Every structure is written in structure tokens, then in C-alpha cells.
């Protein structure tokens, strides 16, 4: 079994309901959620939008391989109404986004999937909620804890929306 950490975000529709439904769907597919952060509101990252995001981090224990986990998260996104994925650094509003942040201490680099998430250490909307549920977890590439990465990025306390 591997402990996996996922980052969830939404900025259209009923954002709290979108996150809740995603966690419920993931729990049906993966088993019980073992940890969940608060919901935090953040500005869009990497694109302009009038719609702020609601983000959280969740943890699960899974026996799925990383690629099967990716298939599962993408299926949940489609079931919840996501029709397109961001690609090539072009981001847009979305009903749900599920990112695989960490898969145990694994490093995965395939054309379809990179773990740890390649931008997680640059995103306060990832590090803030992840540090709430896994502050001492070590990023397998940097060797630093999530709390250390958050401190280095200078994350400011975000607005919780629970």
C-alpha cells in the first residue's frame, strides 16, 4: 500500500460541493480518505479569471499503480463534468482538477505522468493545504519536508472556507 496525496481545486459552479463530491467519488474508487485539509480560497494561478479557486489536499492509501491512479483521478474528473485538461501550460476555469502530488516516496517520470507533481513546490495553493495534513512528509526529489518547502516559498496564511 502506498500513501498518496492529491491536490484538488475548483473555480466554477458550487465549489464546496465540487470538492465534496470529488472526495466522495475518490473514496468510492480508492477506499476511505485518510486525511483531508481545510478548504482554502486562492486566486487563479497561471491564468486570468474572475473566479477564485477553492483548494484542498487529501490522502488515501492505495494499491493502485501510479498510472492506474491517474486513470482513476481522470475518470472522477470526467464524471464530475471536466471536459478538457490543461496542457502545455495553458490553464482555464474548471469544475474540478485532481493532481497527484505524491505517491509514497516514488519518483515517476513517464510521458503521461510525473510524480512528485513537477510544480507543487512552486504553488502555495498546494503546499498550504498539504502542510496541514502532511507537514513532515518528505518530497522525494528535494529531500525537504512539505513544511520546509512551504516556508521557503513564503506561503502566506490563506483564507479557510470550511
Amino acid at each position: 500500500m502506498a500513501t498518496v496525496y492529491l491536490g484538488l481545486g475548483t473555480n466554477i459552479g458550487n465549489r464546496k460541493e465540487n470538492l465534496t463530491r470529488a472526495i466522495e467519488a475518490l473514496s468510492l474508487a480508492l477506499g476511505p480518505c485518510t486525511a483531508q485539509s481545510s478548504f482554502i480560497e486562492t486566486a487563479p494561478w497561471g491564468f486570468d479569471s474572475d473566479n477564485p479557486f477553492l483548494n484542498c489536499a487529501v490522502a488515501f492509501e492505495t494499491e493502485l499503480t501510479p498510472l492506474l491512479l491517474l486513470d482513476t483521478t481522470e475518470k472522477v474528473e470526467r464524471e464530475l463534468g471536466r471536459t478538457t485538461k490543461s496542457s502545455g501550460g495553458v490553464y482555464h476555469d474548471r469544475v474540478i482538477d485532481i493532481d497527484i502530488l505524491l505517491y509514497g516516496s516514488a519518483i515517476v517520470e513517464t510521458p503521461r505522468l510525473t510524480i512528485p507533481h513537477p510544480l507543487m513546490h512552486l504553488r502555495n495553493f498546494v503546499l498550504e493545504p498539504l502542510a496541514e495534513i502532511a507537514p513532515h512528509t518528505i518530497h522525494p526529489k528535494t529531500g525537504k519536508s512539505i513544511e520546509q518547502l512551504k516556508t521557503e516559498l513564503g506561503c502566506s496564511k490563506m483564507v479557510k472556507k470550511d
Side-chain angles (χ1 to χ4, degrees):
M1 292 279 258
T3 300
V4 297
Y5 293 97
L6 307 176
L8 282 61
T10 174
N11 77 327
I12 54 177
N14 183 326
R15 299 171 309 154
K16 186 173 182 178
E17 182 179 307
N18 294 345
L19 291 179
T20 300
R21 289 179 58 218
I23 294 165
E24 289 170 355
L26 289 165
S27 295
L28 288 173
L30 302 175
C33 178
T34 58
Q36 176 187 325
S37 73
S38 303
F39 293 169
I40 59 168
E41 187 169 81
T42 64
W45 189 92
F47 73 106
D48 293 324
S49 175
D50 292 333
N51 304 313
F53 274 82
L54 204 58
N55 297 93
C56 72
V58 292
F60 291 91
E61 297 291 326
T62 188
E63 292 185 17
L64 294 179
T65 65
L67 286 172
L68 286 175
L69 178 61
L70 177 62
D71 291 340
T72 301
T73 61
E74 288 178 343
K75 181 177 185 252
V76 168
E77 287 177 334
R78 286 189 305 274
E79 289 172 351
L80 295 178
R82 183 151 186 193
T83 56
T84 59
K85 289 290 282 181
S86 301
S87 64
V90 178
Y91 301 107
H92 49 81
D93 291 328
R94 48 205 170 270
V95 67
I96 193 68
D97 183 39
I98 304 171
D99 289 331
I100 301 171
L101 304 175
L102 298 167
Y103 183 100
S105 59
I107 296 174
V108 177
E109 294 179 354
T110 73
R112 248 187 100 208
L113 179 63
T114 302
I115 301 174
H117 189 286
L119 298 174
M120 68 179 278
H121 65 288
L122 302 174
R123 296 175 166 177
N124 60 354
F125 65 87
V126 170
L127 294 176
E128 182 77 27
L130 187 56
E132 186 179 317
I133 63 171
H136 305 295
T137 297
I138 300 299
H139 187 289
K141 279 195 152 182
T142 67
K144 296 177 181 179
S145 73
I146 300 306
E147 188 66 37
Q148 285 175 296
L149 292 172
K150 180 184 125 179
T151 300
E152 287 176 5
L153 187 59
C155 292
S156 58
K157 199 66 174 164
M158 297 183 178
V159 178
K160 292 184 181 181
K161 292 287 187 174
D162 285 331

